[in-house]
Amino acid sequence: MKKRLGIDIDGTVTCPSTFIPYLNEAFGKELALSDITQYNLAPLYGVTEEEMDRWLEDNEADIYERAPLARYALEVIDSWKDKYELYYISARGRHLYELTERWFRRHGVYYHHIDLIGSHDKIAAVRQYKLSAFFEDKYDNACEIAEACGIPVILFDTPYNRGPLPENVIRVNNWLEAKREIEQRLRP
């Protein structure tokens, strides 16, 4: 039986700066990815969490539709399609499933399963699907999954996810490094 890899979508398969131009335009800022030093965007854009949530709800579908792939993601994922089962676990809401699946097809991103759980708490899904490793960009998710599930978690480095890491969270700069790390750790 092939090992299953769990993969977050936004900021992992998609470029982590995807939302920034849209946020800058909407809220009159000129922030770059290097300025996004926390996951909670509301304080960085000078709005309340309710305003940010409302803006995200109104704009997420259009932004997800246009999201560019992260560098090297396609070639690495493609190299794994016959070696591993690829399970995408995202905090996106279920109402975005058709849009998400269409984006995967349009960009040629291979998948065995997509689960939009509507929450950042991915531990139950990691356990349910018996994943062997996980790929994430959200710091607390990476740490919680690694500690609760005892699997390696590849954390894609961004300014918003810096912090001390548990032993089995591995920080990488790109998908090529992620591939090298996971293939060392999941040898048959």
Side-chain angles (χ1 to χ4, degrees):
M1 187 170 145
K2 294 179 188 173
K3 292 182 178 176
R4 287 184 182 162
L5 302 180
I7 307 169
D8 173 54
I9 299 172
D10 300 303
T12 304
V13 176
T14 67
C15 181
S17 61
T18 295
F19 275 78
I20 296 171
Y22 302 98
L23 288 161
N24 285 345
E25 183 179 335
F27 298 112
K29 299 280 187 179
E30 293 185 20
L31 300 178
L33 180 59
S34 59
D35 299 314
I36 310 298
T37 56
Q38 62 185 48
Y39 200 81
N40 181 359
L41 297 171
L44 298 173
Y45 282 95
V47 298
T48 66
E49 292 197 29
E50 293 76 21
E51 289 171 305
M52 182 60 72
D53 289 345
R54 193 168 34 259
W55 183 86
L56 287 169
E57 189 175 311
D58 291 346
N59 293 280
E60 65 182 351
D62 289 336
I63 297 169
Y64 290 149
E65 188 86 52
R66 295 184 186 110
L69 278 160
R71 190 171 182 211
Y72 307 120
L74 188 60
E75 68 185 76
V76 170
I77 290 167
D78 198 53
S79 76
W80 285 342
K81 69 183 178 187
D82 296 322
K83 187 174 186 175
Y84 301 107
E85 289 186 8
L86 305 172
Y87 277 55
Y88 296 84
I89 314 296
S90 174
R92 291 182 182 188
R94 285 180 176 84
H95 65 286
L96 296 165
Y97 186 85
E98 285 181 27
L99 175 151
T100 301
E101 191 176 45
R102 192 169 52 246
W103 183 92
F104 271 70
R105 285 194 311 268
R106 186 172 62 251
H107 288 279
V109 178
Y110 193 84
Y111 63 93
H112 291 93
H113 183 78
I114 298 171
D115 194 354
L116 307 183
I117 62 174
S119 161
H120 286 290
D121 184 0
K122 299 175 181 176
I123 291 170
V126 170
R127 288 180 173 150
Q128 175 187 349
Y129 298 124
K130 298 176 175 58
L131 302 177
S132 297
F134 202 85
F135 298 80
E136 181 64 73
D137 73 309
K138 191 170 188 289
Y139 174 79
D140 54 343
N141 279 4
C143 296
E144 290 166 7
I145 291 167
E147 291 179 341
C149 302
I151 62 172
V153 177
I154 304 298
L155 180 65
F156 288 86
D157 186 51
T158 67
Y160 57 81
N161 69 18
R162 305 276 163 75
L165 300 175
E167 186 177 319
N168 53 344
V169 176
I170 304 96
R171 187 178 295 279
V172 298
N173 292 304
N174 59 52
W175 275 93
L176 295 178
E177 289 181 17
K179 179 179 182 179
R180 191 168 42 248
E181 288 291 338
I182 212 65
E183 290 182 354
Q184 287 175 359
R185 293 167 194 282
L186 294 185
R187 286 189 179 136

